[in-house]
Amino acid sequence: MRVLDAEFVQGFIRMADDGFLQGWHERNGGNLTYRIKKEEIESVKESLVTKSEWQPIGTKVAKLAKEYFLVTGSGKYFRNVNLKPEENIAIIELDDEGENYRILWGLCEGGRPTSELPSHLMNHEVKMEASGGKHRVIYHAHTTNVIALTFVLPLEDRVFTRELWEMATECPVVFPDGIGVVPWMVPGGREIAVATSELMKKYDAAIWAHHGLFCSGEDFDLTFGLMHTIEKSAEILVKALSMNPNKLQTITPDNFRDLARDFKVTLPEEFLYAK
Ligand code: 2HA
Ligand code: ZN
């Protein structure tokens, strides 16, 4: 079948468009990658041709050797993905060592995969392992309110987790493991990729201070939903802090323990500290 007719490609395009409509992708901001299932790549095989030489990824992801990914292009705008997908996204294949990639479809006017490919692939490797192969989507967006909070809250996992949990009752159920924080680092390289993937062993989401948010999930709905929930909670926190920096009331540690019991989630005590 044609690549653009495949359901996983349609889902990817819709997610990119949804993210743009949320205001998270100014200019070429953000990137999205999907680890394609065996049967999905098989279904579009007739439309794939080797369109580039092997190129270095910039890091080694041995456990992802021979995997296929659908990725946004470096410098491409999320705004244009839905209008001209073939110019703005690509299917890539990794080599036997997990050190190089080549393009098999897309980026038809030229270009290369997202500048954050090392971060995306190192996160895919970690999350694939941690989830027993279930996680397939890595998403990076410039979520306005999360970014704003990185200027006023201490850059600590436990502070961001607790403050975001308190802002919406669904949060501890949606991200019970919490959320990690990477201090400001130069984007695009191996160093930020290593720091992020280290946090992703423990969490499904990591904040990049003064930059944005990284989320991992099993499918497009769960991963977009995670990004959306965290950013919504951050928006409420920005509003609450703007009205009054001191909360009059909130969800308490014991409230969280009650919630954990009834919703059958485990909420680590490290986040339920006394304030
Ligand atoms: O421009 O978001 O982090 C793409 C990015 C880099
Ligand atoms: Zn970015």
Side-chain angles (χ1 to χ4, degrees), residues 30 116 140 142 208 211:
E116 302 292 359
H140 165 59
H142 294 175
W208 281 2
H211 183 151

Side-chain angles (χ1 to χ4, degrees), residues 4-18:
L4 288 176
D5 292 335
E7 198 175 324
F8 74 95
V9 180
Q10 287 299 320
F12 184 99
I13 293 169
R14 176 170 166 236
M15 178 157 162
D17 209 42
D18 284 345

Side-chain angles (χ1 to χ4, degrees), residues 1 31 33 39 57 71 76 108 133 168 173 250-251 260:
M1 101 171 85
N31 21 76
T33 58
E39 63 271 23
I57 293 166
V71 305
K76 305 295 185 191
C108 62
V173 180
T250 188
I251 306 170

Side-chain angles (χ1 to χ4, degrees), residues 25-79:
H25 300 285
E26 75 291 339
R27 205 172 180 275
N28 61 320
N31 21 76
L32 174 63
T33 58
Y34 171 69
R35 187 167 57 84
I36 303 171
K37 295 176 184 165
K38 292 269 175 300
E39 63 271 23
E40 289 170 334
I41 201 71
E42 210 46 58
S43 74
V44 298
K45 206 121 213 183
E46 69 199 35
S47 308
L48 306 179
V49 280
T50 305
K51 294 180 60 171
S52 78
E53 299 294 312
W54 291 109
Q55 308 286 337
I57 293 166
T59 189
K60 184 170 171 136
V61 282
K63 296 192 185 84
L64 299 178
K66 296 182 176 170
E67 292 275 348
Y68 294 81
F69 292 87
L70 181 58
V71 305
T72 49
S74 178
K76 305 295 185 191
Y77 293 21
F78 268 55
R79 178 168 171 257

